[in-house]
Amino acid sequence: MSLAELIRGRRTIRSFNQTPVARELVAELLQQAAGLYPSAEDAVWRCIYAGTPESRGRLADYMMEHMTGSRLGKWMPGKMIELFKKRFTGIPGHVVVIAGTGPDRQASDRNYAAVCSILQNFQLLGWERQLGMLWDTEPMMQSEDFYERLGIRENERFVGVLHLGYYNKAPRGRARTSAEKKWTVYAGS
Ligand SMILES: Cc1cc2nc3c(=O)[nH]c(=O)nc-3n(C[C@H](O)[C@H](O)[C@H](O)COP(=O)(O)O)c2cc1C
């Protein structure tokens, strides 16, 4: 598969099968992904991996604490909460990604962009091995309580959670907006 085919063919996976994912493979792919970034040694980031049923349940509980504590969440039926937890813990692995922040906005954004680039590499390397992922940044993960539970420090920023696992069927890609619709061509004067 060419690099262009890999980039075009990768799809976000939202439905995983139960084939276990080796933790060593996740670590190896993350390492390789970082190595593909031109100045990987400069990027400041770390991950928390939840790959056992117990740790996945723990992560789901942290997430739900915020959800069920919210005004809207208080009205959520218990069955719905149970269903969410079951779905979340049924996914073979979750990689919580945390980026360092810098002394100013520019340094922080630069580092965040580097980490995002590494994650895209990680998704592509996973795809080569039939490992699917969903990069998740849903609002229910954007809470101080959740960050505290994860142990995110003051000089750190939550990037997202990559849910991962093997899949039976990849979804079809959506139509893309053409590049011409997203640019302005500058005239000489
Ligand atoms: C930075 C970032 C954040 C994302 N956050 C979410 C999210 O919160 N929920 C979700 O369902 N998908 C999320 N996604 C996945 C995108 O929705 C997905 O990439 C998009 O649907 C395009 O599909 P594709 O990856 O198959 O091309 C995110 C992707 C990126 C790069």
Side-chain angles (χ1 to χ4, degrees), residues 41 96 146:
E41 69 279 3
V96 181
F146 184 53

Side-chain angles (χ1 to χ4, degrees), residues 24 53 70-71 75 102 126 137 146 149 160 171 181:
E24 295 73 19
S70 73
R71 239 187 318 157
W75 294 99
T137 53
F146 184 53
R149 282 297 206 181
K181 284 200 177 147

Side-chain angles (χ1 to χ4, degrees), residues 4-46:
E5 281 168 346
L6 175 64
I7 292 170
R8 282 203 200 98
R10 184 206 56 82
R11 293 274 70 83
T12 286
I13 296 296
R14 291 185 164 83
S15 185
F16 304 94
N17 66 32
Q18 290 307 304
T19 308
V21 177
R23 192 173 81 186
E24 295 73 19
L25 175 67
V26 177
E28 185 194 321
L29 294 178
L30 276 169
Q31 177 97 25
Q32 281 180 19
L36 289 170
Y37 185 73
S39 51
E41 69 279 3
D42 297 334
V44 180
W45 59 295
R46 68 185 175 96

Side-chain angles (χ1 to χ4, degrees), residues 10-12 14 112 134-138 174 176:
R10 184 206 56 82
R11 293 274 70 83
T12 286
R14 291 185 164 83
Y112 174 75
L134 163 62
W135 185 331
D136 199 350
T137 53
E138 292 292 333
R174 286 188 306 194
R176 298 298 194 210

Side-chain angles (χ1 to χ4, degrees), residues 72-127:
L72 194 72
K74 285 205 172 83
W75 294 99
M76 260 179 144
K79 264 247 171 319
M80 210 165 142
I81 295 168
E82 228 173 84
L83 213 74
F84 170 85
K85 184 165 179 183
K86 199 166 159 213
R87 189 170 182 278
F88 191 91
T89 48
I91 297 174
H94 306 279
V95 183
V96 181
V97 184
I98 298 158
T101 54
D104 54 42
R105 163 97 190 257
Q106 199 186 21
S108 297
D109 283 354
R110 202 174 282 158
N111 188 63
Y112 174 75
V115 175
C116 287
S117 158
I118 291 168
L119 294 186
Q120 177 65 359
N121 290 342
F122 176 54
Q123 291 199 99
L124 291 169
L125 290 169
W127 192 253

